[in-house]
Amino acid sequence: MRKILKDLTSLDEARQILDSLLVSCGVEHVSLDHADGRILAEKIVSAINVPPFSKALKDGYAIRARDAPTPGTCLLLKSYVPAGREDTLSLGKGEAVEISTGAPIPQESDSVVMVEDTTLADDNVCIHSNVRQGQHILPAGTDISRGETVLEAGQMVSPAKIGILAALGINDTIVKNLKVGIISTGNELTEPGNPLGPGRIYDANSYTLSAAIRRLSAIPVAYGIVRDEPEKARSLLLEAVSECDIVLTTGSTSAGSDDFMYRLMEEEGQIRMHGLKFKPGKPVIIASISNIPVIGLPGNPTASLMVFSEIVSSLVRKGLGITAPARQRMKATLMDDVYSDNRLEYHCVEVIDECAYSVDKTSASITTLAKADGFIVIEPEITFVKAGNEVEVTFFEN
Ligand SMILES: Nc1nc2c(c(=O)[nH]1)N[C@H]1C(S)=C(S)[C@@H](COP(=O)(O)OP(=O)(O)OC[C@H]3O[C@@H](n4cnc5c(N)ncnc54)[C@H](O)[C@@H]3O)O[C@H]1N2
Ligand code: MOO
């Protein structure tokens, strides 16, 4: 039987419903190669000093500053310390040791003179600059000291933070592992890379959602395409629920007689809402099955990605224990007439030089979102916004 969507839930109410759902989240060990963008699940305390020894910051000569009180002083050249030298040299009064950038500073020397500020004469090196004690030396532990907390659980791993872990000698770390399952439904769907039969289209939603989930630091688990066969969809849905922390389905959520998703969710769990007073993204289902949040997203690509980014992402972030970055907003002049209906609409626009151009090709088109920099909000009671009006653009996060 058809399900007609009449009593639509407001976006704010849907956010509250989502917020009331519990989300669990596991952890896993990952190598540094796979840690970028993930959320740390452990505090990192340094077991070593970085650098482990005081090191030269310039190629030149290690000396004792008091041995060269004025420019023109010549010191006896004793030895050479390349980077990686294992034994520690000591330095006598009036002596200099040739040193390269990154090499350990010999004992008793307290400064490095750059090669450019010196000349060589027989066994002597003559210094032609003023020497300040400590110059061109990075003391042991300056970067990170032993026992220091360098990273906290809940921080996102970035290239620089991977550098910190590597510099501490850590080659794997524990990160949060929030798995989001994705099931695409529709007889018309074909996996990209295969020939397209009549009446068929390629599955875009599995891929847009996977990418969006990965950007949120969670792990997408794509279960592929389910034809409109409710029993196969049921077993895949239950498999996804047993393996993931959140499950998303796309398609088969609206008023068509073969749109069976809400029925499956009703039979296997509890539906919290069905139908959102929002455009793009009316036929949305929020449900839970065995305490796992299950969200039925619209089949239309722009609607499914918009609902994921603007609403469902908060549930993913809650599971990971992270907060959303502040959104950028700006005033712009609307360049096109825009018609809307009685739903709250996030209307996609491209912004060029403080002008906002509508890029809406309906929620059935994927290029609507791909071209958009952000959106303007059109309240339910507004059905027309005239070109030339000042509007506020909210930018997408990425
Ligand atoms: N009589 C009504 N018809 C429709 C309503 C309504 O309220 N009353 N709502 C419209 C809205 S709004 C949307 S959005 C769509 C979404 O419906 P479903 O969520 O049930 O999705 P489908 O019918 O399965 O598909 C819609 C559209 O999207 C294409 N699609 C589906 N999956 C994918 C995918 N993985 N990748 C790319 N494209 C996909 C599908 O082929 C359809 O063209 O319903 C309106 N109708
Ligand atoms: O979700 Mo629908 O039109 O709002 O595509």
Side-chain angles (χ1 to χ4, degrees), residues 32-213:
L32 292 197
D33 281 343
H34 295 99
D36 188 35
R38 303 292 298 273
I39 305 298
L40 271 179
E42 61 173 343
K43 175 166 115 170
I44 305 291
V45 178
S46 176
I48 59 168
N49 277 328
V50 180
F53 49 84
S54 296
K55 70 177 183 182
L57 292 175
K58 294 282 167 15
D59 296 317
Y61 299 92
I63 66 162
R64 304 191 304 183
R66 61 185 177 282
D67 290 348
T70 52
T73 309
C74 296
L75 303 173
L76 181 65
L77 183 56
K78 206 183 152 193
S79 181
Y80 171 58
V81 192
R85 180 163 175 154
E86 286 173 16
D87 57 327
T88 320
L89 282 174
S90 67
L91 194 74
K93 187 172 182 311
E95 291 175 346
V97 161
E98 190 181 349
I99 197 160
S100 53
T101 302
I105 297 294
Q107 273 175 14
E108 283 121 25
S109 73
D110 57 13
S111 33
V112 169
V113 182
M114 284 166 69
V115 70
E116 294 87 329
D117 294 335
T118 65
T119 50
L120 283 174
D122 301 327
D123 288 344
N124 288 316
V125 55
C126 299
I127 293 159
H128 304 292
S129 59
N130 286 310
V131 180
R132 182 180 46 79
Q133 205 179 4
Q135 73 177 30
H136 306 318
I137 292 177
L138 189 68
T142 308
D143 198 355
I144 300 167
S145 55
R146 186 183 295 117
E148 184 182 333
T149 299
V150 272
L151 299 173
E152 295 282 358
Q155 290 186 326
M156 188 190 290
V157 181
S158 63
K161 288 178 182 134
I162 287 176
I164 290 177
L165 294 167
L168 296 179
I170 295 170
N171 63 359
D172 79 30
T173 188
I174 305 172
V175 293
K176 297 193 183 182
N177 181 10
L178 187 132
K179 292 200 196 99
V180 185
I182 307 161
I183 300 172
S184 281
T185 66
N187 278 335
E188 73 280 28
L189 298 182
T190 302
E191 185 66 25
N194 294 297
L196 205 56
R200 297 284 184 112
I201 60 161
Y202 288 116
D203 172 13
N205 293 346
S206 293
Y207 293 89
T208 53
L209 292 170
S210 283
I213 289 162

Side-chain angles (χ1 to χ4, degrees), residues 279-283 300 303 343 363:
K279 188 177 174 183
K282 178 174 158 188
N300 280 334
R343 288 178 279 168
S363 68

Side-chain angles (χ1 to χ4, degrees), residues 276 278-284 298-304 307 341 343 362-364:
L276 197 56
F278 177 66
K279 188 177 174 183
K282 178 174 158 188
V284 173
N300 280 334
T302 284
S304 87
V307 172
D341 62 17
R343 288 178 279 168
T362 82
S363 68

